[in-house]
Amino acid sequence: MRRSIILIAVAAFFLVGTISQAHAEFPTKPITLLCPFGAGSTTDLASRSLSNCAKKFFSQPIVVVNQPGASGVLAAATTAKGKPDGYTILMGRVSCNAAVPALNKTIPYKVDDFTFVGITEITPFIICVRADAPYQTLQALVDAIKAEPGKLSYGTSGALSMLDIVGMMLLDAAGLPKNAAVSVPYKGDGDAKTSLLGGHTQFLPNNLSPMMDVIKSGMVRGLAVTTEQRLEMFPDIPTVAEAGYPTLTNAVGWSGIFGPKNMPKEVVTTYAEMLQKLKTDEEWLRTTQNLGALPAVMTPGESEKFVMDQYDKFLRIGEKMDIVIQ
């Protein structure tokens, strides 16, 4: 009996050692990073920047796979239902990981059906019009919407996408109903941008990143940005608070790494340590800033709190505007 107990103890010791070694060696094969939006989108560029810089810290590549659809819900659902081994992760976004779960209860996952690995960046929104539009200020745009309800339109990347939600938040902040301006859905923020440039829509609340080139070229005028301070690269564009709509400061985008629920702690730690190294990686910092985002790497615990706070804000907004789908 004593000999059997000793043998079991020895076997258990080696088993624990083998498991610990397996986790310590993670990753042992390529990792799939699901991008919930199409090629060239803000999320796609952020995904590829992270993938490129992660080569310095991981022995295996992180391969970006675009899986667009339903405001990011398709890729998020794939991740939530995936095997929690760390080899399929999601470049989560505010839309599919906070806003849509708060506003649409029919999607196939909940806000906490994930492992919160780490928020990486904050992306401000900017409300834009074409350079030849008559609206010189955000207030002038709002006044035009009030004057002829239902005439002006704005592009979105889908129903209840962040572009759609920020547009409704603007209308709500101005004391207008959500149908005071027409929301026109497109496949992504790039298509919504093209629509604005073509004159098919009259204004666009979009992520800063895809709008930087057309603002710099003078094709588009930025009326207000959702940061608390003016952007260093566009010092002439007022903040939403300066423009008279301080509640729109809550309208920010963000990116972060999410995995299926119940990922091994050791794997989460490996990812979290890699993300912390990005905070001092000059290449990643430079690329992120050039894409119009603000580096904001958070720990898993900080990320979970941040996301749940965002979820609660969107739920309150949705209930106020009566747009929650049950």
Side-chain angles (χ1 to χ4, degrees):
M1 176 66 72
R2 183 178 178 183
R3 184 171 180 272
S4 298
I5 293 173
I6 292 172
L7 288 174
I8 291 171
V10 170
F13 174 81
F14 281 108
L15 177 61
V16 170
T18 300
I19 293 173
S20 298
Q21 184 180 12
H23 286 313
E25 292 174 352
F26 177 88
T28 59
K29 61 181 181 179
I31 297 163
T32 296
L33 175 59
L34 291 180
C35 173
F37 296 98
S41 65
T42 304
T43 314
D44 177 66
L45 297 174
S47 300
R48 295 183 189 282
S49 173
L50 185 140
S51 170
N52 182 59
C53 291
K55 296 175 184 176
K56 305 170 188 176
F57 313 116
F58 277 9
S59 59
Q60 295 289 332
I62 296 180
V63 181
V64 178
V65 175
N66 296 90
Q67 192 178 34
S71 298
V73 168
L74 181 59
T78 299
T79 304
K81 296 175 182 179
K83 186 177 180 181
D85 58 4
Y87 286 100
T88 297
I89 54 176
L90 173 73
M91 178 56 83
R93 288 290 288 178
V94 59
S95 55
C96 54
N97 287 96
V100 175
L103 302 177
N104 188 347
K105 304 303 181 182
T106 68
I107 62 172
Y109 62 87
K110 297 180 180 179
V111 66
D112 57 354
D113 282 346
F114 300 90
T115 295
F116 300 87
V117 178
I119 298 300
T120 57
E121 62 187 37
I122 302 294
T123 310
F125 274 76
I126 189 162
I127 300 169
C128 297
V129 296
R130 277 192 5 168
D132 59 359
Y135 324 112
Q136 298 295 321
T137 65
L138 183 58
Q139 188 58 53
L141 173 64
V142 169
D143 289 343
I145 296 172
K146 287 181 178 179
E148 297 184 87
K151 179 180 179 180
L152 300 188
S153 62
Y154 62 99
T156 77
S157 50
L160 296 185
S161 65
M162 275 304 294
L163 277 65
D164 190 25
I165 293 166
V166 175
M168 287 190 285
M169 288 175 68
L170 170 62
L171 298 174
D172 180 65
L176 296 169
K178 60 178 180 283
N179 61 354
V182 180
S183 171
V184 182
Y186 294 94
K187 291 183 179 179
D189 57 12
D191 291 337
K193 170 183 171 181
T194 300
S195 174
L196 177 71
L197 294 173
H200 305 295
T201 51
Q202 287 71 54
F203 68 100
L204 176 63
N206 203 356
N207 292 293
L208 173 62
S209 176
M211 305 308 295
M212 289 170 61
D213 60 336
V214 289
I215 294 174
K216 288 178 179 178
S217 69
M219 299 172 67
V220 163
R221 179 186 306 121
L223 300 181
V225 64
T226 64
T227 47
E228 294 184 358
Q229 304 293 331
R230 291 197 183 199
L231 296 171
E232 196 172 311
M233 66 185 72
F234 297 120
D236 294 334
I237 300 176
T239 66
V240 285
E242 291 174 325
Y245 297 91
T247 58
L248 291 179
T249 305
N250 291 323
V252 294
W254 42 262
S255 300
I257 300 300
F258 294 74
K261 200 166 187 175
N262 299 320
M263 275 173 52
K265 182 178 179 181
E266 295 86 351
V267 174
V268 176
T269 298
T270 299
Y271 275 119
E273 289 175 349
M274 182 269 288
L275 294 181
Q276 288 299 314
K277 291 175 182 177
L278 290 180
K279 291 169 71 172
T280 56
D281 185 87
E282 292 185 5
E283 180 185 4
W284 182 78
L285 291 171
R286 182 175 61 254
T287 302
T288 300
Q289 291 165 343
N290 287 342
L291 290 174
L294 309 175
V297 176
M298 301 183 194
T299 66
E302 291 169 340
S303 300
E304 182 172 3
K305 182 180 184 304
F306 175 79
V307 173
M308 296 309 297
D309 285 347
Q310 288 270 291
Y311 172 84
D312 289 340
K313 286 179 181 178
F314 286 117
L315 183 58
R316 289 196 298 270
I317 291 169
E319 290 173 344
K320 178 183 177 183
M321 301 182 68
D322 193 28
I323 58 173
V324 179
I325 301 172
Q326 300 290 347

